[in-house]
């Protein structure tokens, strides 16, 4: 593609601290029309909360998200890219791990942006974008066991 992550990422995304109550995180998601909010300490990325995290790790378990800190449901094992990475490498990473967004970090895990499937769709070639969306949305294989 030749495009860098920095060319398409959302710069200076809204973020919250690990102590931010989940209901405030959800309100921010609604206001900003986003499905994920990074968690930071200072400007250092320490986690991410997705709308799915709130539903699966809090609401579905009968927990009250009103006062629950975001850190209790956040993902801590993060996939990140650098703003200088090629967008094609970010696409491959998203497809391989079946994720729709990646945090963009600079030195010392400093959050500088977020790149999403939607950002890529706006910038990418139709064929490349279609292949990535297909890979990210691929149905899991094998039996559905509990």
């Amino acid at each position: 593609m030749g495009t860098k992550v920095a060319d398409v990422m959302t710069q200076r995304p809204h973020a919250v601290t690990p102590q931010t109550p989940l209901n405030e995180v959800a309100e921010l998601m609604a206001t900003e029309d986003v499905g994920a909010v990074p968690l930071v300490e200072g400007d250092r990325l320490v986690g991410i909360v997705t709308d799915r995290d709130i539903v699966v790790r809090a609401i579905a378990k009968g927990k009250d998200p009103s006062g629950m800190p975001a850190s209790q449901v956040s993902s801590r094992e993060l996939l990140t890219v650098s703003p200088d990475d090629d967008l094609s490498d970010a696409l491959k990473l998203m497809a391989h791990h079946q994720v729709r967004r990646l945090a963009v970090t600079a030195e010392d895990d400093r959050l500088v942006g977020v790149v999403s499937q939607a950002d890529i769709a706006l910038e990418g070639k139709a064929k490349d974008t279609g292949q990535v969306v297909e890979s990210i949305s691929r149905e899991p294989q094998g039996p559905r066991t509990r």
Side-chain angles (χ1 to χ4, degrees):
M1 268 186 167
T3 304
K4 298 292 183 189
V5 168
D7 297 332
V8 301
M9 72 181 190
T10 299
Q11 295 183 28
R12 299 188 65 229
H14 287 275
V16 298
T17 68
Q19 297 78 26
T20 303
L22 278 183
N23 61 308
E24 290 181 26
V25 176
E27 289 170 10
L28 179 61
M29 287 177 174
T31 301
E32 297 298 318
D33 193 27
V34 296
V37 175
L39 270 62
V40 294
E41 289 178 345
D43 61 356
R44 199 173 131 264
L45 180 68
V46 295
I48 194 163
V49 175
T50 66
D51 45 8
R52 187 173 193 284
D53 291 333
I54 294 171
V55 171
V56 172
R57 296 178 181 166
I59 295 170
K61 294 187 176 183
K63 297 178 181 177
D64 180 9
S66 296
M68 179 184 287
S71 61
Q72 286 192 6
V73 301
S74 67
S75 300
R76 298 283 183 161
E77 293 181 25
L78 304 172
L79 294 172
T80 64
V81 291
S82 160
D84 296 326
D85 287 346
D86 284 333
L87 190 57
S88 60
D89 292 336
L91 287 168
K92 289 174 191 169
L93 187 64
M94 292 169 85
H96 178 76
H97 292 279
Q98 289 188 288
V99 296
R100 289 175 168 75
R101 60 192 67 84
L102 296 169
V104 183
T105 56
E107 64 283 340
D108 299 327
D109 294 326
R110 188 172 49 85
L111 179 68
V112 296
V114 172
V115 64
S116 71
Q117 179 178 319
D119 297 328
I120 293 163
L122 290 172
E123 179 66 27
K125 296 176 186 169
K127 180 182 175 190
D128 293 337
T129 302
Q131 289 172 342
V132 169
V133 170
E134 182 180 335
S135 295
I136 291 170
S137 303
R138 176 178 68 237
E139 288 288 326
Q141 300 297 309
R144 294 170 18 139
T145 59
R146 290 190 137 207

